Amino acid sequence: MAARSVVNLTMMATRPLHAVLLPPADMLAPLAAALDGSGPAILPLDPALPPQRREQLLAGLAPAAIRTAGGLRAARGAGAGRGEVDASTAVVIVTSGSTGEPKGVELSATALLASARASLDRLGAAPGDRWLCCLPVSHVAGIQVLVRSLVAGSTPVIRDRLDAAAAAAAGGAHVSMVPTQLHRLVEAGVDLEPFGKILLGGAGAPPRLLAGARAAGGQVVTTYGMTETCGGCVYDGVPLDRVRAEPGAGGLVRIAGPVLFTGYRLRPHLTAEVLAGGWFRTSDIGAIDGSGRLVIRGRADDVINTGGEKVLGSEVAAALETCAAVRQAVVVGRPDPEWGERVTAVVVPADPADPPDLGALRSHVRQTLPASAAPRELVLVGAIPLLPSGKPDLRTLRHAGRPTAAVPGTITDAMRY
């Protein structure tokens, strides 16, 4: 595949980009052709997207054509000369947009294949090992399951749902999943031993979840990465071979290596802001721990400025999830006239009939974090709202939901931090 790609792609400066709205099982052929250069670059989109959203993405990312189960048709405005990408680009992935406007991330065949091979090597996966695909292939984690399958020379197992039946039938297949999926399996008491390696990424994983998964027989490998790095590029805190990941200025993690994206579709100024000198500057705040592993503390836009103090929402959520009364938690900042932003805990209680109260959660957080990190507002929910990628929908959480309790703008000295 790689040799063929070099021959084909060096003969042209650009190649057409086709939006592909197909189910995962039908994505293998266009993906293989995009990787080896025998076909157009592809822009995978979810066939179930609402029409308005689909048209917005097509207008913004400007493919030359659209491929669906019904065939291939020209895209609107395809004659405007915007339907091509650089010859090296194989796949354009739309970011999830959990905190900002979605972008089209251009990934080369070289980067995708380097990522897949490094992943297989790190896991000790053998040629022919199968992969279970249970994530949307319109996201990088899902498309990389298919790329790894192509590199391994195996046919992926496609599942719409990741449940007990899928686990029982895994037959040693490796799998990528997000913490929400793993949480549901553990909560249901599913035996995870039939899986091969479980790559867990897309969001931070609470220690309690990892312990439960490993107790259920899961071989869990935590991953860190993003669409711009072809997915996970740091496994259990250690970068993949030929990848460098380290804290840079202001603690922002920067990444270098063959897995990097080449740019944002039709947005060169945005590309230049984050990609320079062979390094990609992320929006994540990290540190190197005592064992030399990379630890992600949270996103820069996860910082809550409250009363002149800076609080990382992800660290507060991690502290809350060590409380027995909390099943899941996400912490965001909401506007506050006195504090600037108030620390707001959105919590799924372990027992809906006996949910935790704000005072108890504040006390629990203050056992391990500064008093400024203690939540001032509590919103109880039955489930955390998620994006299609499985990540928490932070934009919704910052603006929706009525609090069940809140610390008033003027509070007592006993509660003041």
Side-chain angles (χ1 to χ4, degrees), residues 56 64 99 111 134 136 171 175 188 196 199-200 206 212 218 233 238 240 244 250 261 277 306 309 327 360 364 391 416:
Q56 287 175 341
T99 57
C134 56
V175 61
L199 292 184
L200 187 68
C233 62
V238 180
L240 296 177
R244 294 178 62 190
F261 76 124
T306 180
E309 300 288 341
R327 176 173 295 175
H364 184 83
K391 298 179 183 179
R416 189 179 298 277

Side-chain angles (χ1 to χ4, degrees), residues 314-376:
S314 56
E315 289 189 333
V316 182
L320 288 171
E321 288 181 338
T322 65
C323 176
V326 174
R327 176 173 295 175
Q328 287 179 282
V330 175
V331 174
V332 296
R334 291 186 172 180
D336 186 277
E338 180 177 356
W339 301 96
E341 287 184 293
R342 62 183 176 275
V343 180
T344 301
V346 183
V347 168
V348 178
D351 181 1
D354 185 24
D357 62 35
L358 181 62
L361 294 182
R362 283 176 59 83
S363 297
H364 184 83
V365 168
R366 292 179 67 166
Q367 292 177 17
T368 55
L369 293 176
S372 57
R376 294 184 168 277

Side-chain angles (χ1 to χ4, degrees), residues 64-241:
I66 303 168
R67 181 174 177 179
T68 67
L72 186 70
R73 63 176 174 86
R76 294 177 184 175
R82 300 177 64 208
E84 296 186 333
V85 292
D86 186 85
S88 65
T89 298
V91 178
V92 177
I93 295 288
V94 180
T95 56
S96 62
S98 61
T99 57
E101 190 66 24
K103 303 177 286 289
V105 180
E106 298 182 339
L107 303 173
S108 69
T110 299
L112 287 162
L113 293 170
S115 172
R117 289 169 179 146
S119 174
L120 295 172
D121 287 346
R122 177 63 59 85
L123 297 176
D129 276 7
R130 302 189 77 187
W131 283 81
L132 174 63
C133 182
C134 56
L135 292 169
V137 295
S138 54
H139 296 287
V140 72
I143 206 73
Q144 274 293 57
V145 169
L146 302 187
V147 177
R148 293 188 199 106
S149 297
L150 289 170
V151 171
S154 62
T155 302
V157 180
I158 308 295
R159 289 278 183 169
D160 292 332
R161 293 178 57 83
L162 186 57
D163 53 18
H174 308 300
V175 61
S176 289
M177 65 179 74
V178 296
T180 300
Q181 292 172 309
L182 182 61
H183 175 82
R184 290 170 180 166
L185 293 176
V186 172
E187 285 288 298
V190 174
D191 180 11
L192 303 180
E193 193 168 353
F195 289 120
K197 296 294 197 305
I198 298 174
L199 292 184
L200 187 68
R208 185 168 60 188
L209 174 60
L210 295 176
R214 287 164 179 154
Q219 302 178 67
V220 182
V221 177
T222 61
T223 72
Y224 167 71
M226 57 281 300
T227 306
E228 290 87 345
T229 61
C230 291
C233 62
V234 178
Y235 284 17
D236 288 336
V238 180
L240 296 177
D241 292 347

